[in-house]
Amino acid sequence: MSKLKTALVDNRGGRWVPLLLAVGLTGCSTYYGQLAVGQLELLRLREPIATIIESPRTDPQLRQRLGLALQARRFASTTLALPDNDSYRVYVDIQRPFVVWNLFATEAFSVAPLNHCFPIAGCVAYRGYYQQGRARGAAAMLRSEGYDTLVTGVQAYSTLGWFDDPLLSSMLRWEDERLAGLIFHELAHQRLYIAGDTAFNESYASFVEREGLRQWRTSRGLPPVDETAQRRYAELSGLMLDTRERLAELYASDLDEAAMRAAKRAEFMRLRQAYRQLRDGAWKGDHRFDRWMAQPLNNASLLPFGLYDRWVPAFAALFEQVGGEWLLFHARVEALGRLPADERAQQLEVFR
């Protein structure tokens, strides 16, 4: 559900390899050390997609998927005005379902995330780990200190243009249209990223993904996307956000700890009941989110919701205002990004 935006050093002048090696070799057991080692491994394993496609040893299904990815990659730059570089023109088989695992955490009686700040990317509501065991170990340590935690796998992330990001085997788990949309989403982060404003960044990239996918399908003579899944995710997100608001009010109250813990449990029971009613009623038995709801729910489980779509309606309105011209749209979004955070949010509220 979320994307790790971690860029360690500048590779645009060719200076990043020694720095990454220094971090990785002297501190591979540290958090930054594992980031350096993981990123170096991806860089080492990259292969040009064109070369893989031309090889007679390439599996025909892989050749087809990679060919489609290159088509989407060209469409992203020629039609959506997204960066034209070598990102997603190289491939890495990571031989695991996720490239990183993100760890979210909150205090026991708070819905505010435990933020983490990084060079370039600014402050975000999670930490990313290249090994699932490391993420789970860090989560266990936080839980022992009384925090609520969530560990969730991520199929792709952007280094914001500081590296040529590869297409990953984990991304190929998605169907064709979802794969194209993911490429559009990640390239949008390369086009614009405002340090410390996750909702702005993710909503912008999510709008580019959705509108880009709509135009991509039209260009290929395909019917419009079935919006049922998107609508139902929005309804699930609404349940989560409502729960978060009620919990915020609860945690601001003067209840004693025992009473607050009981009320917290009751809120998550209420959430599960509301989900079952929605699933078995309006959704007519659609069980697509059952696995998510079956896990232990806590404050951290609510954090990813709202990060990716809060401002999507505002960006859609802005896109319509500029007549669907991508260059004008990106320029207007970049102008918003230069505003102070409070003023930027006010402008987005007007559009929404």
Side-chain angles (χ1 to χ4, degrees):
M1 281 193 176
S2 60
K3 315 286 188 302
L4 174 66
K5 310 299 187 304
T6 302
L8 297 179
V9 286
D10 186 350
N11 78 321
R12 298 173 188 176
R15 299 186 298 273
W16 50 267
V17 170
L19 289 174
L20 276 178
L21 282 171
V23 173
L25 292 176
T26 62
C28 62
S29 63
T30 68
Y31 176 71
Y32 280 102
Q34 63 90 27
L35 286 180
V37 170
Q39 183 63 56
L40 273 172
E41 184 68 4
L42 291 184
L43 296 176
R44 185 183 70 80
L45 294 173
R46 292 179 302 180
E47 297 180 71
I49 290 177
T51 300
I52 298 174
I53 290 175
E54 292 170 1
S55 172
R57 297 189 299 273
T58 299
D59 177 79
Q61 184 177 6
L62 176 61
R63 181 182 291 114
Q64 183 274 328
R65 300 301 311 282
L66 293 179
L68 179 129
L70 284 186
Q71 293 174 33
R73 180 64 187 81
R74 287 191 293 270
F75 185 86
S77 296
T78 59
T79 303
L80 309 182
L82 294 173
D84 190 3
N85 53 35
D86 285 336
S87 289
Y88 309 111
R89 291 187 169 107
V90 290
Y91 175 73
V92 172
D93 183 355
I94 61 174
Q95 299 184 358
R96 58 182 187 267
F98 303 109
V99 62
V100 292
W101 285 263
N102 282 349
L103 167 59
F104 295 85
T106 71
E107 295 180 357
F109 299 130
S110 174
V111 292
L114 182 62
N115 282 319
H116 308 277
C117 299
F118 304 96
I120 309 302
C123 298
V124 294
Y126 47 81
R127 298 183 80 176
Y129 295 83
Y130 281 92
Q131 295 177 333
Q132 187 179 29
R134 286 182 179 268
R136 288 182 171 176
M141 290 185 64
L142 286 172
R143 286 196 301 274
S144 71
E145 297 173 8
Y147 288 91
D148 284 5
T149 66
L150 169 71
V151 173
T152 182
V154 178
Q155 283 90 1
Y157 68 86
S158 173
T159 57
L160 312 179
W162 295 82
F163 301 96
D164 293 328
D165 294 321
L167 186 77
L168 303 172
S169 55
S170 54
M171 298 167 67
L172 298 185
R173 298 173 63 197
W174 296 98
E175 61 185 13
D176 289 351
E177 277 69 33
R178 182 67 182 89
L179 173 61
L182 190 56
I183 291 171
F184 303 156
H185 185 109
E186 299 304 337
L187 286 171
H189 285 310
Q190 291 192 17
R191 172 91 199 203
L192 178 65
Y193 184 88
I194 306 302
D197 196 337
T198 301
F200 179 89
N201 296 324
E202 295 298 349
S203 296
Y204 163 66
S206 292
F207 170 76
V208 171
E209 174 184 345
R210 294 179 191 181
E211 178 60 23
L213 184 55
R214 187 192 68 79
Q215 294 186 18
W216 162 255
R217 289 180 65 87
T218 299
S219 74
R220 301 177 71 211
L222 298 173
V225 176
D226 183 355
E227 296 184 353
T228 299
Q230 182 178 312
R231 184 173 61 253
R232 289 179 180 173
Y233 174 79
E235 291 170 347
L236 175 69
S237 182
L239 293 181
M240 297 290 181
L241 295 177
D242 288 345
T243 300
R244 194 158 72 194
E245 288 183 9
R246 289 194 300 271
L247 285 171
E249 293 178 4
L250 169 65
Y251 299 150
S253 70
D254 57 359
L255 289 178
D256 61 40
E257 180 176 340
M260 192 168 289
R261 288 192 183 279
K264 176 182 178 180
R265 288 194 297 269
E267 283 295 343
F268 283 108
M269 290 177 61
R270 177 179 178 177
L271 171 61
R272 292 184 190 279
Q273 183 179 15
Y275 168 73
R276 288 193 295 268
Q277 290 176 344
L278 186 61
R279 179 197 65 192
D280 299 336
W283 293 0
K284 299 179 180 179
D286 186 339
H287 293 265
R288 71 183 68 201
F289 299 115
D290 278 8
R291 185 175 179 181
W292 175 266
M293 295 299 296
Q295 68 181 331
L297 295 177
N298 56 37
N299 299 332
S301 306
L302 307 175
L303 291 180
F305 295 91
L307 284 179
Y308 290 87
D309 52 12
R310 178 182 178 187
W311 300 118
V312 168
F315 288 120
L318 179 57
F319 188 74
E320 184 176 354
Q321 187 179 92
V322 299
E325 294 289 337
W326 281 105
L327 283 174
L328 288 175
F329 171 73
H330 293 309
R332 291 287 298 277
V333 175
E334 288 164 4
L336 284 172
R338 290 191 291 270
L339 297 175
D342 290 346
E343 188 175 347
R344 182 163 61 241
Q346 290 174 3
Q347 290 291 323
L348 289 168
E349 284 287 2
V350 171
F351 285 117
R352 190 169 67 167

